[in-house]
Amino acid sequence: VPPENVLNLIHAFHKNLLQVRRGGLHFKEQYYKCVRADEHSLYLQNVYGGLIVAKTKTFILVATYRVGMYPSVCVEAVEKL
């Protein structure tokens, strides 16, 4: 993942959560609309699929899914990690 995308995610969690809820997020040159956001996770989607971001003590986990895949399966897999 390019550094600007990583910094964008870190910034979203620490300083920009309300803005992400209202205006979505750009990641890897794609715009994602926010479905749900809190201090531990971001759930976003666009016409091509979705983006799940989860913050742990050490890492920020990023998972994507395509149209036709079940978002709930992606969410469940990320939460188990």
Side-chain angles (χ1 to χ4, degrees):
V1 177
E4 62 272 8
N5 286 304
V6 174
L7 292 174
N8 198 16
L9 292 175
I10 292 169
H11 186 69
F13 274 118
H14 290 285
K15 298 182 180 180
N16 233 7
L17 202 53
L18 185 59
Q19 186 174 344
V20 170
R21 284 186 186 133
R22 290 181 179 160
L25 182 75
H26 284 84
F27 183 77
K28 294 186 86 172
E29 300 178 8
Q30 288 191 25
Y31 169 75
Y32 291 88
K33 179 182 142 198
C34 182
V35 176
R36 180 174 169 255
D38 60 38
E39 59 275 357
H40 302 290
S41 58
L42 304 172
Y43 302 90
L44 306 117
Q45 67 184 125
N46 64 19
V47 295
Y48 305 108
L51 177 70
I52 309 296
V53 184
K55 182 175 73 168
T56 70
K57 288 182 180 181
T58 310
F59 300 103
I60 293 178
L61 302 172
V62 179
T64 60
Y65 60 91
R66 295 184 305 258
V67 169
M69 297 174 82
Y70 293 105
S72 59
V73 174
C74 185
V75 168
E76 188 177 326
V78 170
E79 288 176 350
K80 285 187 179 190
L81 291 173

